[in-house]
């Protein structure tokens, strides 16, 4: 239980940053914690708990993002204006989903490239180059 308490806030920030919806972020984190708790005995190295649980969350967020693209919803006419700035939308659109997740894991989660590589089953050098490329794209939009 102490492990979960240490990473819960980081899990939520990651999910919220990825999904852009507080309720979906809470659901994803809740499902992640439930799944992790049920499978924690499979974890052989307690030192890898943080990377392991973030990998579970990352997979849940990816599935939820796929659901978003497959769902069509009619928006009400009185929908309040989004507080997202045009600039942040441009930055978000400039990055592909994998780049956004990698940068979020690195910047928000504080994970190193080799840890992200393990979580996303990618070579750590690929992760490093995607971080660099993504950050450069963000700088170009903000310049």
């Amino acid at each position: 239980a102490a492990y979960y308490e240490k990473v819960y806030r980081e899990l939520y920030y990651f999910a919220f940053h990825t999904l852009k919806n507080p309720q979906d972020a809470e659901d994803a984190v809740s499902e992640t914690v439930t799944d992790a708790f049920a499978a924690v005995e499979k974890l052989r190295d307690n030192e890898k708990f943080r990377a392991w649980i973030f990998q579970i969350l990352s997979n849940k967020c990816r599935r939820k993002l796929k659901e978003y693209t497959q769902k069509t919803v009619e928006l009400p006419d009185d929908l309040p204006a989004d507080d997202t700035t045009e600039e942040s939308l441009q930055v978000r659109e400039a990055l592909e989903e994998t780049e956004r997740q990698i940068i979020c894991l690195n910047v928000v989660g504080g994970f190193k490239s080799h840890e992200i590589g393990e979580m996303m089953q990618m070579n750590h050098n690929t992760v490093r180059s995607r971080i660099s490329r993504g950050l450069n794209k963000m700088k170009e939009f903000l310049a």
Side-chain angles (χ1 to χ4, degrees):
Y3 287 134
Y4 296 105
E5 290 173 17
K6 288 181 183 179
V7 297
Y8 183 84
R9 184 178 298 232
E10 293 173 15
L11 292 171
Y12 177 77
Y13 286 143
F14 175 80
F16 181 71
H17 178 78
T18 303
L19 301 173
K20 314 290 186 267
N21 179 299
Q23 291 81 20
D24 287 346
E26 289 172 14
D27 290 346
V29 171
S30 177
E31 291 171 18
T32 297
V33 170
T34 302
D35 290 356
F37 189 75
V40 75
E41 71 277 351
K42 294 178 185 174
L43 183 65
R44 295 184 190 133
D45 183 358
N46 287 341
E47 297 296 316
K48 297 194 182 227
F49 174 81
R50 189 168 176 260
W52 175 71
I53 199 165
F54 265 91
Q55 182 175 10
I56 295 169
L57 179 61
S58 179
N59 290 335
K60 292 209 176 290
C61 288
R62 251 188 250 131
R63 280 188 218 110
K64 183 57 90 175
L65 288 170
K66 280 183 184 176
E67 285 177 26
Y68 288 171
T69 60
Q70 296 169 352
K71 194 186 291 185
T72 57
V73 177
E74 195 162 318
L75 298 175
D77 292 334
D78 61 345
L79 186 68
D82 188 359
D83 63 350
T84 305
T85 65
E86 182 66 30
E87 189 175 76
S88 67
L89 284 173
Q90 288 176 341
V91 170
R92 210 178 299 156
E93 289 173 4
L95 301 176
E96 63 179 56
E97 183 55 39
T98 304
E99 284 176 328
R100 282 197 301 266
Q101 284 188 325
I102 289 171
I103 289 172
C104 185
L105 284 167
N106 180 254
V107 175
V108 177
F111 289 100
K112 307 278 187 243
S113 60
H114 69 277
E115 294 172 314
I116 297 169
E118 285 178 27
M119 281 186 257
M120 300 187 77
Q121 293 145 357
M122 299 173 79
N123 182 293
H124 68 94
N125 290 322
T126 303
V127 170
R128 216 176 313 190
S129 68
R130 290 211 175 175
I131 290 170
S132 176
R133 198 172 339 144
L135 292 175
N136 284 335
K137 285 180 187 179
M138 290 171 65
K139 285 178 192 174
E140 286 175 23
F141 274 97
L142 298 174

